[in-house]
Amino acid sequence: MTIAPGSSLGPYTVVEQVGAGGMGIVFRARDDRLDRDVAIKVLPLDALGDETARARFHREARALAKLSQPNIATLFDVGEQDGTSYIVMEYVAGQSLASKLETGPMSLRDTLALGVEIAAALEEAHDRGIVHRDLKPANVMVTTRGHAKVLDFGLAKLLAPRDPSTPASMSETRGAVGTLLYMSPEQATGEAVDARTDLWSLGVLLYEALTGVPPFTGAGMMGILHAITTATPAPIRSQRVDVPPEVERIVGRALSKDPSARYPTASELGNDLSLVLATLSAGALIPTKTSRRSPLAFALAGIPAVGVVVAGFWFYQRSEHKHWAREQAPRESASLVAHDRTLAASLVLQRAQRYVPTDVTINALLDSMMVETSVTSSPGGASVDIQDYTSPDTAWYHVGTTPLSRVKIPNGYFRWRLSAPAVGSVVTAPELTKTMHFALDSAQAAPAGMVYANGSRWADFIAFVGWVGPYALPSFYMDRHEVTNREYQNFIDAGGYTRPQYWTETFVDGTREVTAADAMDRFRDSTGRAGPSTWKGGHYPDGRGDYPVQGVSWYEASAYAAFAGKALPAMAQWYYASQPDVASELVQLSNISKDKVAPVGAFKGVGRFGTYDMAGNVREWVANPVAANRRLILGGAWNSESYLYSEPEALSPFDRSPANGLRCVRNVEPLPAGALAEIKPLERDFSKFVPASDPVFHAYELLYAYDRTPLNAKVERVVQDNDDWREERVSYNTAYGNERMAAYLFVPKRARPPYQTVVFFPSARVIDLTNSDSLGDVSFFDYVVQSGRAVLYPIYQDTYERRVRTVLPGASQEMTLTVQRFKDLARSLDYLATRADIDTTRLAYLGVSMGSAEGVIFTTLLQDRLKTDVFLDGGMFLDRASSGRDQADFAPRLKIPVLMVNGRYDFSFSLERSQLPLFNLLGTPTGDKRHVVLETPHDVRAKRPELVREVLGWLDKYLGRVR
């Protein structure tokens, strides 16, 4: 599309073009809704080549938008119009550092000040797992007040081409020669990079700012690359005598060709620059530096630390309070930040600030974690209090009274309590933004038991569905809690099951229409009376009036909603209210992946508008149909995997499982067209797929190859010893990165060695668990150990304590993770081969969901060491993966026996779109593969007896009976 001044991109009006480069064209635009100028970057046409790439871009750009730090230009929005993708950023008035350097070197003081601020920006990004990878003068703006604003965090990686033959250093910079000047040696040679590559680039910026020339130059691209990887730059002091030796040392360390010799963090580099800057300001001589690794200097890992002062410059007073403030407060604050308690961390630093009000470290640490927001309410004059979201039992912190303009609060996720005499108080948990508005009057006007959700434009990328929306959702009311047994009893007592006006939907079971009489016969409790499947005699169980109603079909849920003068929510309304972007915090305080259902509101996971229990307790029917006459049911139940909070399920509208409940909405205005339409899941036509050729597949095999170096294995401890098994925690070396990994070996008590052994790979549920001392998904294999077989449960990369802190996966990082997990599995087989009590001729693989899907790749490459595979809750991914990690390339080459056990109503890996394509693609001979479909959704444990019978029977057949 053509973009010119006056044209529109979404809600933004283009004013003028202000720049252009390899990553797109930048325009200044006007956002009249918020009365502000913004910068819009229009992406190159070749940057996002397919729908999957665009979806990934939108998802990952939203992650970038969560960066909030004074020296980072904020990313506000992301959109697409007429095939053109764009991002919306903070508009920074001033000039780029590149323009500033056109006039020659900068002053020493200005260079150090900008360096400190850029280091603070890098530390914020690195702490969130984001590496800039393209830091250069053109990506640093110098504001009109002389402060640094770093642009384009993560975009170099996010927009990298996917051609695996293109060296990483070229693809990530799109071949721009100007960018080559700032590449680290590891980028230039196509090696893996981490946060230290940004510190190299900062060293190059500092060198150029002080001398007026880049440290590494050459004739053309190859000359520059050669200089970066081999040359030593001219000493700064040979070109500028006023630069202190300490500054030359700092820049030299940043420019170490070996990443391990550079500063380990941006915080430490910034601290050293701050020290020199503080000394210059004091007019003192620069001392000779021997070691700066004091506890004070590095106490607050993960938070940008500016202005650290060591004992050689300040003398600490001997007061106990002052000692605590300087030595202990930063550590306490860092620990609180690591546990998502940024408010508590800031309060610790505020207390320390009272004892040492002029301490540069404490002041800088506190300032670095604060952001500005403006808070309004209707009516005004409301008291505003906040509380760390994950600490609901702590005291509230008073922010002020509305309207609040540019008030500073910690950058975190909070509960917000607003109170006004005329309208009472509300407690909600919206994400922190630069402007916050709370409609207390509308909340007060909500019907009893409901909360107010303000209207908004909504769109989101839903797992296994793709992009949904955008919709202009009008304001609506939503039930604060799930519908309770007591509320549903009113429907029963009012004769709700006998009143046709509430049962307006046509009854359809699969493809067959069912009469109303036949349908109503299905809606009986355990005694034959009308009511939920979990009731008796037309009444809920004693003492459970405040528990959510359980065991209702979609038809019953719809009828109840009509009786209550409400409706079932559209999927868009449910996701808008549930705020899946904060799932990691909300699930911690919700009844999901737990043992039993709870009274409504017993858990404190409050939503953005004041709802409770949207994660877990019972899953909630929504209005939208999906294919095969199913209906969406969202949020998961108490016994669901935690990821089902944000991933949809779909069931027959007649399903009356105990996990099924409901929550209603009351619509103030009609919903937009399409919001109630059928949801069309992702599709992929595997009948037209052509698997990789032999030469290409051989190249894939090389990607996964590894050296069988010494394992240095050891048994660390016996975790438990019960009647069924002895559980040992073992550890051994990985095949990458000089890491070690743990695994848990369950040794059976009811068999004799050498043991048949099953290697286990869990579902994505375990990604939300932080410590393998409490293993998840054990009930998927405990019966295997009870049958007399050993089970090895490796702790794979990006699970439990090995969680990778990566905000932007990207194609190459996803590939890296897949390869690492494969090597973890392979090394685990290597470990089993070292044990005399294991029969390595009788090994099997058992994967669940994520472990099944990825297991197709892994076991194809390891099938010469395995006798059989068992895939539970698995199937084909429907978004096309990058080269080398597409299941469809591997499945036809998998020849060993395979048992697949799936749920008929699995929405994640649906029967028709995902399970059957995988089963049909498998290269296993027909007589050696079996697909069992149980009457369950995405968790076959719901039919545990059938599951156990099928798996043990299969293992008996292909491993032999246990001795």
Side-chain angles (χ1 to χ4, degrees), residues 65 222 311 456 553 608 702 781:
M222 297 310 297
S456 177
S553 67
R608 75 190 309 167
L702 294 177
F781 67 79

Side-chain angles (χ1 to χ4, degrees), residues 634-694:
L634 305 178
W638 74 93
N639 57 354
S640 297
E641 296 92 338
S642 57
Y643 58 79
L644 285 176
Y645 164 55
S646 54
E647 293 185 8
E649 296 181 86
L651 300 173
S652 162
F654 280 101
D655 189 278
R656 308 180 81 222
S657 303
N660 298 355
L662 73 148
R663 180 190 308 262
C664 299
V665 297
R666 180 167 293 172
N667 293 313
V668 179
E669 302 175 30
L671 292 177
L676 293 172
E678 178 179 326
I679 300 300
K680 299 187 181 299
L682 290 172
E683 298 279 356
R684 186 177 177 188
D685 188 354
F686 291 99
S687 66
K688 298 178 181 179
F689 180 79
V690 179
S693 64
D694 288 346

